Amino acid sequence: MKAFVTGGTGFIGRYLVRALVARGAAVVALTRSDAGVAALQADGATAVRGDIQDAASLRAGMAGADAVFHLASWDRMGGDAWMEAEAINVNGARAVLQTAWDLEIPRIIYTSAVTVFGDTKGVIVDESYEPPAGPFPSEVDRTKWLAHYKVALPLIEAGAPITIVMPGGVYGPGDPGLIGELMRLFITGRMPIMPGPEMTITWTHVADVAEGMILAAEKGAVGETYILAGPAIPLGEMVDFWSYLTGRPGPTAKVPARVVRPLYPVVEALEQQLELPDLMTTDALRSLGASYMARSDRARRELGWRPRPPQAGMLETFDWIKAHEATTLTTAGDETRAAWAALGLALTFFILWLWRRGR
């Protein structure tokens, strides 16, 4: 099989490329940088220089492919970059999916996300769920929703051979995102407070997500959607589970989302002065207290997808963090610590104000 991959140098993408290569597939992946070329070649893929909005580079990479996997996306938290987010997540998705259809690629796998469902308000939903069209806590969520419902689904209805996969919260070795940041803060004892412990997400190992994508290409029905989500667990409970697994203490305090939300102006001001970790951006703050919960029954039943239990995946991830990021964990952090301190101080004053007001 020849597979064309966008986003092959990203967190999930590199696992997908390696898994495809291990299966004997000839993998061609798109990249915009010399570093991307080197990374893809190291993983056993052929790199094609180009951009997801450049039809010529897309056609060059897709020529003769049996399957196209579109993973490339804009996923930065915080700031005001809606034009960039829309260009990559919406226009880029349209260009990749339309080009693959024009070239008559028989299998097109589009990567959406459980977060396009929005806050499911404590309900574990499935592929039949019809979410509201906003409001969205971040430009990532808004533009991924647009790509799913205004690009991918209309193309499917028009006859494009697209299968959609929807990962939940993805974790694992090398995770540069929110979950990875949370795990790094925990294992290094740099999590003095836990905001929004009631926020609930699904937890899925990155290698299992990559496996689910390949299974969707091999066994999935054209036009169908498959949720790739592990167990739904609140953040506070997961942090307690990490303490149990590692023997390390958890945060000193877990502060409900309703207490933290009024601190939005403080975080917004900090964003103007510091490059905050994704976990502390205004986008992340807006998500506190929400639940992003979905079940993977269809993927298990129709694809034979079997994700690993959280215990094995979490221990592997913590071991990787300690082994590969020792220098970063010990030296990076002046701004992070300053941000935590400022947020913690603001939170303390706010709680005292609430207490005095109650008196």
Side-chain angles (χ1 to χ4, degrees), residues 106-198:
R107 298 308 302 262
I108 307 170
I109 309 302
Y110 169 65
T111 303
S112 181
V114 165
T115 52
V116 304
F117 288 153
D119 183 358
T120 61
K121 302 186 184 303
V123 178
I124 302 179
V125 302
D126 62 16
E127 290 86 354
S128 65
Y129 180 68
E130 297 183 6
F136 303 98
S138 70
E139 284 303 306
V140 175
D141 292 342
R142 183 185 71 85
T143 53
K144 290 293 285 184
W145 183 91
L146 285 171
H148 184 121
Y149 291 98
K150 301 302 181 181
V151 176
L153 287 183
L155 284 172
I156 288 173
E157 292 171 2
I162 298 170
T163 301
I164 299 175
V165 294
M166 300 181 70
V170 184
Y171 73 92
D175 178 10
L178 286 172
I179 296 178
E181 185 174 310
L182 191 65
M183 296 184 76
R184 286 189 289 273
L185 290 172
F186 170 83
I187 203 65
T188 55
R190 292 187 291 148
M191 188 191 295
I193 60 172
M194 174 73 204
E198 68 272 44

Side-chain angles (χ1 to χ4, degrees), residues 26-41:
V27 180
V28 178
L30 193 70
T31 183
R32 294 181 296 175
S33 67
D34 292 338
V37 170
L40 290 169
Q41 291 176 344

Side-chain angles (χ1 to χ4, degrees), residues 85-344:
E86 201 159 293
I88 295 172
N89 288 351
V90 183
N91 299 338
R94 183 179 291 110
V96 173
L97 300 180
Q98 183 67 57
T99 301
W101 189 19
D102 291 344
L103 293 177
E104 300 183 348
I105 308 298
R107 298 308 302 262
I108 307 170
I109 309 302
Y110 169 65
T111 303
S112 181
V114 165
T115 52
V116 304
F117 288 153
D119 183 358
T120 61
K121 302 186 184 303
V123 178
I124 302 179
V125 302
D126 62 16
E127 290 86 354
S128 65
Y129 180 68
E130 297 183 6
F136 303 98
S138 70
E139 284 303 306
V140 175
D141 292 342
R142 183 185 71 85
T143 53
K144 290 293 285 184
W145 183 91
L146 285 171
H148 184 121
Y149 291 98
K150 301 302 181 181
V151 176
L153 287 183
L155 284 172
I156 288 173
E157 292 171 2
I162 298 170
T163 301
I164 299 175
V165 294
M166 300 181 70
V170 184
Y171 73 92
D175 178 10
L178 286 172
I179 296 178
E181 185 174 310
L182 191 65
M183 296 184 76
R184 286 189 289 273
L185 290 172
F186 170 83
I187 203 65
T188 55
R190 292 187 291 148
M191 188 191 295
I193 60 172
M194 174 73 204
E198 68 272 44
M199 180 179 177
T200 305
I201 63 174
T202 59
W203 301 81
T204 319
H205 193 281
V206 60
D208 296 330
V209 172
E211 176 69 14
M213 292 174 175
I214 296 173
L215 289 173
E218 294 175 345
K219 302 179 181 181
V222 168
E224 289 290 354
T225 298
Y226 296 94
I227 292 171
L228 304 176
I233 303 173
L235 293 182
E237 291 184 19
M238 183 54 80
V239 170
D240 291 341
F241 183 58
W242 292 344
S243 292
Y244 167 77
L245 287 178
T246 65
R248 291 178 177 265
T252 304
K254 296 175 183 175
V255 185
R258 66 179 184 277
V259 176
V260 179
R261 282 197 194 100
L263 296 176
Y264 179 92
V266 175
V267 178
E268 192 171 35
L270 285 172
E271 277 188 314
Q272 305 303 316
Q273 304 298 323
L274 302 171
E275 185 176 345
L276 296 180
D278 283 354
L279 194 63
M280 293 179 60
T281 60
T282 51
D283 287 352
L285 188 63
R286 292 190 191 101
S287 300
L288 289 181
S291 56
Y292 300 95
M293 300 160 60
R295 62 178 72 252
S296 59
D297 296 5
R298 175 180 287 173
R300 295 170 187 264
R301 182 178 63 251
E302 298 182 15
L303 306 181
W305 186 61
R306 297 291 182 268
R308 71 200 65 192
Q311 180 169 345
M314 293 296 172
L315 285 173
E316 176 197 6
T317 304
F318 281 130
D319 287 343
W320 187 94
I321 291 171
K322 289 184 285 187
H324 290 78
E325 301 191 1
T327 303
T328 301
L329 293 174
T330 55
T331 61
D334 288 344
E335 290 190 347
T336 299
R337 282 190 290 272
W340 274 113
L343 183 59

